[in-house]
Amino acid sequence: MEFQIALMLVQDGITNGAIYALLALALVLVFAVTRVIFIPQGEFVAYGALTLAMLQAGVVPTTVWLLVGLGVAVTVVDGVPALRSGRPGRLLGVAGWNLAYPLGVAALVSVLPLQSLPQLAQVALALAVVVPMGPQMYRLVYQPIASAPILILLIVSVAAHLTMVGLGLLFFGAEGQRTPAFSDASLELGPLTVPGQTLVIVAVSLALIVALFQFFERTLYGKALRATAMNRVGARLMGISPALAGKLTFFLAAFIGALSGVLIAPITTVYYDTGFLIALKGFVAAIIGGLASYPLAAVGALLVGQLESFSSFWASAYKEVIVFTLIIPVLLWRSLTSRHVEEEE
Amino acid sequence: MKFKRLVASVVMGALFSGAAFAQVKVGVISSSTGPIAMVGIPQKNSVPLMPTKVGNLTVQYIPLDDGSDPTASVVAIKKLISEENVDAIIGPSGSPNAMGVIQFAAEAGVPLLAPVGTAAVVLPMDDKKKWVFKTTQNDQLIADALVGHMAKHGIKTVGFIGSSDPYGENWAKVFTESAGRKGIKVVASERFQRSDSSVTAQGLKLLMAKPDAVLIAAPGTPAVLPQITLYDQGYKGKFYQTHGAALPEFLKLGGKKVEGTVLAASLMLVLDQVTDAHPSRKIAIDYVNAYEKLHGVKPATFGGNVFDAGLLLKAAIPVAATKGKPGTPAFRSALRDALEQTKDMPATQGVYNMSPADHSGFDERGRELITVSGGKWTLIP
């Protein structure tokens, strides 16, 4: 194998690895704070990418109606107890976030000349549509069973995943979409030509990781999330609302997912069900980090990316087998080296 | 309470008396959800266009969705046979789905018209597969056309990249054999997944082998990704695609980068360019117009495969009706015999000539060589 080919494979692996790293971080975060193994993570990737594609085609994205529908559901679920407890002021707040915001976004996408907007504005709109579904989903699906055992949360996650895939087919149709690249520029690095999109992906991933680090280290909300992840009961005793922590976590996870979708849409064809496999590889990376360590998960993601890239070169028919088989030695190694703590009886 | 019972018995009576009319029941299984929904949706949408009256018999279609899941196909086919007592079944959409249901159709003696890609459903012919008819061109027919074009244009080496599913695997096999007979060498054979976000590595492997041309075999729009990747990597040779890429979205997703691609598929892509003499032309135009009127979009070829199954049945039902009443084993068996004797029947995909050995029945009128020129499908004369 020539050196140049190896370099190109490494570059391809880094591009994919960066996306897996983002998703792995989101999975670790969600698991640490809420104990949910967030299988629908991948759906946010597909929703983000395909919503952007619809916006760029000048069509009002159908996902907006899901946003409105979920908003109505949350308003009912949160509003009725607020009314009963005689706090109409609270109702106003609930309705503001869950009715006014989705309707505002819906109005915005139906009024604006979508096709002629600058690309960044389209991306911002796509994120504005998809990301709030994260906290809405937490409120409707996970919050009522927040203290259930991990297994039940996992089963609910599977159900949420299947529902979102089905809705995705309804919203976007069976055909895949591609969006134009953010930048057509490319960088000459010795023998290697790095396409602009790769640079964008790596740069955005790095920026996001740094931003997340800052968020967790320096802000009150970030510290609250870390506290919840370390000790749920203790954090609650300190006055940190588990519901708020959950919603915030899901907001971040949905944001990371949708952003990853926007990033990969120009380099591959995204289908309504593409997200699952991408998130599954992020999950392999998260497992390498023991669903607990962020740096290990990021390293794992780069490893998965490289493994995928080189195995598709050497034995393309067995690529997925090789990538997912990686999980076995990793689990073996983890179970041999770390002591298993039984969390639930 | 008494009134309720009365209503119930009237309703039941009405239901059962309905079955007394001379009616042919046809089950349609399509994958209108799940990973191969892009194949199943046009198929499901073609059902309302199929003939509902044949002679003095009415034909009732019972559409079911298997969610692209082979297990669900088996459940659907058992339901159609035992609960609905169907006379024939059209479907399922996917090759693995069809492979899984053959034995159940054969055991119950129900003709199965499979609109699937793989020739394995009718070849090699045996006691079970004699109940199966296939309304798509065999891969062999398409491969021979492509290899013929390659040989004519002096191509000696070909790189192959196929989807990692039965479609890609079968193409790898059929194409390698076909190319070998013409002295064309397959210098690299790669696989990729439909959901892959990158095929850079496979592309590099193909580039290193320096083939004169590259053949991409994948069903539907996934066929675009390898071609774009290779184009971006600077591959300058000729691109070939299979009939799996024969859909409008291929042009939309590929844009300028798929210009000059050669593929062989049914005439449905180039209806406006085929001569009037082609026996399928009018039928295909009528089908496309009717479909567009009903659904607002043009159908992918996959829909035509199901529509053809309806036409085959339309031709065979009157023959079978002379041997038995619909709903009886005698009728089903006669229907199978009649389907097997279909001769020179034009339909949207080409002209069918069935025989006991050939249950697909296409000849060279079932495929046209097509290239992409100026962003449009163009017939190669």
Side-chain angles (χ1 to χ4, degrees):
Chain A
M1 186 162 53
E2 293 165 44
F3 180 62
Q4 188 182 353
I5 299 248
L7 270 183
M8 286 170 94
L9 289 176
V10 168
Q11 177 210 321
D12 187 47
I14 289 177
T15 316
N16 287 328
I19 296 289
Y20 300 151
L22 285 180
L23 295 172
L25 294 184
L27 286 166
V28 171
L29 172 67
V30 171
F31 183 75
V33 177
T34 63
R35 297 175 306 132
V36 171
I37 292 174
F38 195 41
I39 297 172
Q41 179 72 54
E43 270 57 71
F44 285 98
V45 178
Y47 275 41
L50 292 169
T51 302
L52 179 66
M54 283 183 103
L55 284 170
Q56 288 180 339
V59 194
V60 174
T62 30
T63 27
V64 155
W65 308 120
L66 179 66
L67 181 71
V68 173
L70 287 173
V72 171
V74 175
T75 312
V76 172
V77 172
D78 274 348
V80 170
L83 265 188
R84 283 224 180 103
S85 60
R87 280 186 298 171
R90 220 183 116 76
L91 183 67
L92 210 65
V94 169
W97 270 115
N98 294 300
L99 275 186
Y101 173 77
L103 288 174
V105 173
L108 214 55
V109 290
S110 31
V111 171
L112 284 176
L114 298 171
Q115 248 169 324
S116 53
L117 285 176
Q119 201 169 17
L120 276 180
Q122 291 170 334
V123 170
L125 264 181
L127 292 179
V129 171
V130 176
V131 174
M133 289 178 195
Q136 285 175 334
M137 189 170 167
Y138 179 77
R139 176 63 194 92
L140 293 171
V141 179
Y142 295 104
Q143 194 178 322
I145 51 162
S147 53
I150 293 182
L151 184 61
I152 295 195
L153 292 172
L154 172 66
I155 293 168
V156 169
S157 280
V158 173
H161 155 70
L162 290 174
T163 312
M164 279 189 80
V165 170
L167 286 173
L169 176 61
L170 189 70
F171 291 149
F172 308 114
E175 285 304 336
Q177 302 285 344
R178 271 176 101 97
T179 60
F182 290 103
S183 143
D184 283 327
S186 55
L187 185 69
E188 299 279 341
L189 264 184
L192 206 60
T193 315
V194 186
Q197 190 60 28
T198 304
L199 293 176
V200 172
I201 291 179
V202 174
V204 171
S205 304
L206 279 177
L208 202 61
I209 290 170
V210 171
L212 279 175
F213 182 75
Q214 294 293 328
F215 171 75
F216 284 119
E217 290 295 320
R218 294 182 194 257
T219 67
L220 196 60
Y221 281 114
K223 285 178 182 165
L225 281 191
R226 268 173 60 211
T228 317
M230 274 172 204
N231 188 334
R232 225 157 285 122
V233 182
R236 204 171 170 183
L237 289 174
M238 291 298 121
I240 297 169
S241 153
L244 178 73
K247 277 184 199 159
L248 195 56
T249 311
F250 272 67
F251 175 84
L252 286 174
F255 176 72
I256 293 173
L259 192 67
S260 315
V262 167
L263 286 175
I264 58 159
I267 55 167
T268 182
T269 319
V270 179
Y271 299 84
Y272 70 99
D273 60 349
T274 299
F276 179 61
L277 218 61
I278 298 179
L280 211 56
K281 285 173 192 153
F283 185 70
V284 173
I287 291 287
I288 294 175
L291 273 176
S293 158
Y294 295 100
L296 267 184
V299 171
L302 288 178
L303 183 68
V304 170
Q306 295 302 333
L307 187 67
E308 189 182 16
S309 168
F310 279 87
S311 59
S312 18
F313 184 81
W314 290 118
S316 57
Y318 302 102
K319 186 197 81 180
E320 304 292 55
V321 180
I322 294 171
V323 169
F324 288 114
T325 310
L326 176 67
I327 215 167
I328 296 173
V330 167
L331 283 178
L332 256 178
W333 160 68
R334 287 212 73 90
S335 64
L336 289 178
T337 53
S338 63
R339 190 168 309 149
H340 184 58
V341 186
E342 195 72 47
E343 198 186 332
E344 282 156 298
E345 55 281 340
Chain B
M1 198 61 212
K2 251 189 187 161
F3 176 71
K4 257 191 187 165
R5 209 171 283 168
L6 183 73
V7 171
S9 57
V10 168
V11 170
M12 291 303 277
L15 279 177
F16 280 105
S17 65
F21 286 115
Q23 193 187 38
V24 181
K25 282 184 164 187
V26 178
V28 184
I29 305 172
S30 59
S31 302
S32 39
T33 57
I36 53 166
M38 74 224 160
V39 176
I41 288 173
Q43 298 188 336
K44 186 194 74 177
N45 287 346
S46 295
V47 174
L49 305 175
M50 298 205 288
T52 51
K53 197 137 179 65
V54 178
N56 53 0
L57 294 168
T58 55
V59 185
Q60 185 199 357
Y61 296 96
I62 304 161
L64 291 178
D65 173 25
D66 65 14
S68 307
D69 172 9
T71 321
S73 307
V74 172
V75 174
I77 202 167
K78 284 183 170 165
K79 182 179 148 83
L80 286 170
I81 291 169
S82 59
E83 288 178 25
E84 303 284 356
N85 191 29
V86 292
D87 298 300
I89 293 169
I90 301 174
S93 307
S95 299
N97 308 53
M99 292 304 288
V101 301
I102 291 173
Q103 68 172 100
F104 299 100
E107 271 168 25
V110 178
L112 180 77
L113 293 103
V116 298
T118 176
V121 293
V122 288
L123 291 173
M125 188 50 71
D126 60 22
D127 265 2
K128 289 200 171 84
K129 289 176 184 170
K130 72 174 193 179
W131 288 95
V132 185
F133 297 88
K134 177 167 159 297
T135 57
T136 61
Q137 296 80 354
N138 280 344
D139 295 342
Q140 187 72 56
L141 188 71
I142 306 282
D144 286 345
L146 291 179
V147 169
H149 187 270
M150 289 170 184
K152 214 166 101 188
H153 289 78
I155 285 163
K156 296 265 174 280
T157 51
V158 176
F160 176 87
I161 175 162
S163 52
S164 158
D165 59 14
Y167 185 85
E169 291 299 332
N170 194 51
W171 259 95
K173 193 171 129 249
V174 168
F175 177 74
T176 310
E177 285 168 14
S178 189
R181 280 196 293 275
K182 291 265 185 188
I184 295 171
K185 236 179 110 193
V186 178
V187 287
S189 185
E190 295 298 308
R191 299 288 179 283
F192 73 105
Q193 300 277 336
R194 188 179 78 99
S195 51
D196 276 356
S197 50
S198 150
V199 291
T200 308
Q202 290 96 321
L204 288 171
K205 193 91 177 269
L206 287 174
L207 279 180
M208 277 173 68
K210 296 195 178 64
D212 295 338
V214 168
L215 171 68
I216 299 156
T221 41
V224 182
L225 183 62
Q227 186 162 353
I228 291 187
T229 306
L230 276 165
Y231 180 93
D232 287 341
Q233 287 172 343
Y235 180 70
K236 293 279 184 277
K238 194 109 187 126
F239 282 107
Y240 286 86
Q241 288 273 2
T242 66
H243 52 323
L247 65 174
E249 280 81 3
F250 177 78
L251 295 181
K252 202 181 108 200
L253 286 169
K256 280 199 202 89
K257 294 176 181 174
V258 297
E259 192 73 15
T261 310
V262 175
L263 60 89
S266 80
L267 71 162
M268 263 180 68
L269 288 182
V270 284
L271 275 181
D272 47 342
Q273 297 157 40
V274 180
T275 57
D276 290 339
H278 199 295
S280 294
R281 185 171 184 266
K282 192 180 168 325
I283 302 170
I285 288 180
D286 288 349
Y287 163 68
V288 170
N289 288 343
Y291 188 101
E292 206 174 357
K293 199 171 150 211
L294 192 65
H295 302 291
V297 286
K298 279 201 185 334
T301 322
F302 314 116
N305 299 126
V306 161
F307 186 73
D308 279 7
L311 294 182
L312 282 170
L313 284 174
K314 185 186 170 191
I317 285 171
V319 183
T322 59
K323 306 254 174 62
K325 264 173 80 76
T328 59
F331 178 77
R332 294 198 290 267
S333 166
L335 191 60
R336 192 208 77 84
D337 295 345
L339 283 169
E340 196 168 74
Q341 273 141 35
T342 307
K343 283 280 166 294
D344 276 325
M345 198 203 81
T348 65
Q349 301 293 307
V351 181
Y352 291 87
N353 266 309
M354 301 284 185
S355 71
D358 183 3
H359 273 199
S360 174
F362 282 102
D363 50 24
E364 64 285 351
R365 287 173 294 183
R367 51 133 170 95
E368 304 288 341
L369 273 171
I370 298 166
T371 183
V372 181
S373 158
K376 286 202 174 63
W377 302 115
T378 313
L379 189 67
I380 300 178

